[in-house]
Amino acid sequence: MPQLDNINQSFKSARMKINAFLRRQRWKEALIFFFFVLLSLGFWLLQSLQQEYEIEINIPVRYKNIPPDISFTETPPQVVIAKVKDKGSVLLNYSFGRSFAPIETNMKNQAEKSGSISISKKAIENDIQKQLLATTSLVTFEPQHIEAAYSKRIKKEIPVVFNGTIQTNPGFHVSGNITISPMNISVYASDVVLDTLNQAKTVFTEIKKGNKTITKTIQLQKVSEATYDPTSVTITIPIEEFTEKTLEIPVLCTDLPPHYTLRTFPSVAKVTCSIPLSRFKDLSEDAFEIRFSFKDLEQNVSGSLPIQLTKKPDWVNSVALVPDKIEFILEQNNLQ
């Protein structure tokens, strides 16, 4: 409790000192002085905003419906810079509170095979005037005429490849091929550029903690002086939970002559593999084969032969074969 009383006394003392300071004559005079200074600044600002000024405003230019098989000789203007004149209060609105609609030109409205897209001075001026207030004067603008030359490009079909990394949660794996739609896209460019393009890559995409099939739309990597159509593709990455399955597969010789008897130790090998959980019941011994040729036996003098799978499904991963070699005895039958 004594500590609480000390804190209360400290607050009371501080409040009394502040009140005493505010009651001083000099402080009152300072407040009055700053009030009139702010008032003067306000009047000056209002007076200034009533005067006329000139500023520059940027109005974007948009080129619509440009076919992918044409390229501009030079990059066409992207903005028109207009100089306007009006009162400061109006110009302040242009600078901070207003956005301008783009000046548009539509390729469909241009003459075919003209070799250029043009926007006349009158059309640019009309588009600017429509967006200005009645009191605002248009002093000048640049460029006053737009003429964008273009040329035809060659078309080529190229395949799309996925560019990225895929990380899955523990126990999950990619269970099949990544599908891309469309698989092939059109690319438009000069013959020199097309000679260097054999495939279109997606932008680098990182998949983390995958635990189910993923479908997403991905943009294609841009290539200088080339245009893709379309510019994006749909990628489907099949991801499933995996489990292990072990099967016993017989070890067989493909072309053993009838007058020979072959004994192998062991006669079967265990195949352990990782498969999608949804296909566990689909996998049987018939999906695998372990075969070797009689020639391998004839040329072998050690009595031991390495074995390997000669048949397995494409969707089976991480196959382990136990044992990976067998002992054998080859006997020749007595012919009567």
Side-chain angles (χ1 to χ4, degrees):
M1 293 303 292
Q3 291 182 351
L4 184 59
D5 292 337
N6 291 337
I7 293 172
N8 288 333
Q9 288 295 330
S10 298
F11 276 117
K12 288 180 180 179
S13 177
R15 188 172 58 186
M16 291 174 64
K17 289 179 181 179
I18 293 171
N19 289 335
F21 176 76
L22 292 175
R23 290 194 188 99
R24 292 178 184 175
Q25 185 65 26
R26 289 183 179 178
W27 177 248
K28 290 181 179 179
E29 292 175 355
L31 283 177
I32 294 171
F33 171 76
F34 283 120
F35 171 75
F36 281 105
V37 168
L38 291 175
L39 192 62
S40 299
L41 287 173
F43 282 121
W44 174 81
L45 182 60
L46 288 174
Q47 185 65 26
S48 298
L49 291 177
Q50 296 306 310
Q51 297 179 15
E52 288 194 339
Y53 300 93
E54 289 185 2
I55 64 167
E56 290 183 347
I57 56 176
N58 292 338
I59 301 176
V61 181
R62 180 185 297 168
Y63 303 88
K64 296 176 62 178
N65 297 315
I66 304 299
D69 62 340
I70 74 167
S71 63
F72 291 104
T73 306
E74 296 180 355
T75 302
Q78 301 300 306
V79 295
V80 170
I81 302 174
K83 183 179 288 186
V84 296
K85 184 177 181 180
D86 207 333
K87 291 181 179 180
S89 57
V90 178
L91 299 182
L92 200 63
N93 177 52
Y94 288 141
S95 300
F96 299 104
R98 188 168 185 173
S99 59
F100 294 91
I103 298 170
E104 294 184 345
T105 178
N106 196 330
M107 184 68 177
K108 290 182 178 179
N109 300 332
Q110 301 284 329
E112 288 199 20
K113 299 182 180 179
S114 63
S116 67
I117 296 176
S118 63
I119 309 177
S120 66
K121 177 181 178 180
K122 188 64 176 177
I124 296 174
E125 184 177 356
N126 288 340
D127 279 346
I128 297 174
Q129 291 284 11
K130 289 177 185 177
Q131 304 188 62
L132 300 179
L133 298 176
T135 58
T136 305
S137 301
L138 177 60
V139 179
T140 185
F141 57 89
E142 290 292 336
Q144 297 200 348
H145 174 73
I146 294 177
E147 190 79 24
Y150 63 83
S151 59
K152 283 279 187 178
R153 294 191 287 187
I154 305 172
K155 177 182 175 182
K156 179 181 177 180
E157 295 285 328
I158 56 175
V160 180
V161 296
F162 173 71
N163 176 33
T165 59
I166 303 170
Q167 297 178 358
T168 58
N169 282 342
F172 291 81
H173 299 280
V174 177
S175 60
N177 295 327
I178 297 173
T179 58
I180 303 175
S181 180
M183 296 177 58
N184 298 288
I185 56 103
S186 300
V187 57
Y188 298 89
S190 65
D191 53 355
V192 176
V193 175
L194 287 182
D195 287 342
T196 65
L197 289 177
N198 297 315
Q199 61 183 19
K201 292 183 178 181
T202 65
V203 296
F204 187 82
T205 304
E206 198 172 7
I207 306 296
K208 294 182 178 180
K209 298 182 179 180
N211 58 6
K212 62 180 180 180
T213 297
I214 296 171
T215 299
K216 63 189 309 182
T217 299
I218 305 177
Q219 295 292 319
L220 298 176
Q221 279 186 9
K222 293 183 178 179
V223 177
S224 179
E225 300 181 2
T227 301
Y228 288 141
D229 183 29
T231 57
S232 63
V233 292
T234 300
I235 305 289
T236 300
I237 305 170
I239 297 176
E240 288 188 59
E241 186 176 1
F242 272 54
T243 187
E244 280 192 350
K245 187 168 187 177
T246 300
L247 300 169
E248 290 189 345
I249 310 301
V251 180
L252 304 173
C253 180
T254 57
D255 52 357
L256 185 69
H259 56 280
Y260 279 97
T261 300
L262 175 66
R263 295 183 176 88
T264 60
F265 308 95
S267 59
V268 296
K270 290 184 177 181
V271 175
T272 301
C273 55
S274 180
I275 60 172
L277 190 61
S278 63
R279 306 189 72 169
F280 186 85
K281 294 181 178 179
D282 298 339
L283 189 65
S284 64
E285 288 81 358
D286 296 338
F288 298 94
E289 281 186 359
I290 302 174
R291 293 181 178 271
F292 53 87
S293 172
F294 178 70
K295 291 182 180 179
D296 297 330
L297 300 176
E298 283 187 311
Q299 298 171 2
N300 190 298
V301 295
S302 65
S304 176
L305 183 71
I307 58 173
Q308 60 184 3
L309 286 172
T310 53
K311 174 186 173 184
K312 81 172 186 65
D314 294 336
W315 47 271
V316 172
N317 297 328
S318 305
V319 178
L321 194 61
V322 179
D324 58 359
K325 65 180 179 179
I326 58 167
E327 306 291 331
F328 70 90
I329 297 176
L330 185 64
E331 300 177 344
Q332 187 170 4
N333 301 327
N334 293 325
L335 298 178
Q336 298 295 335

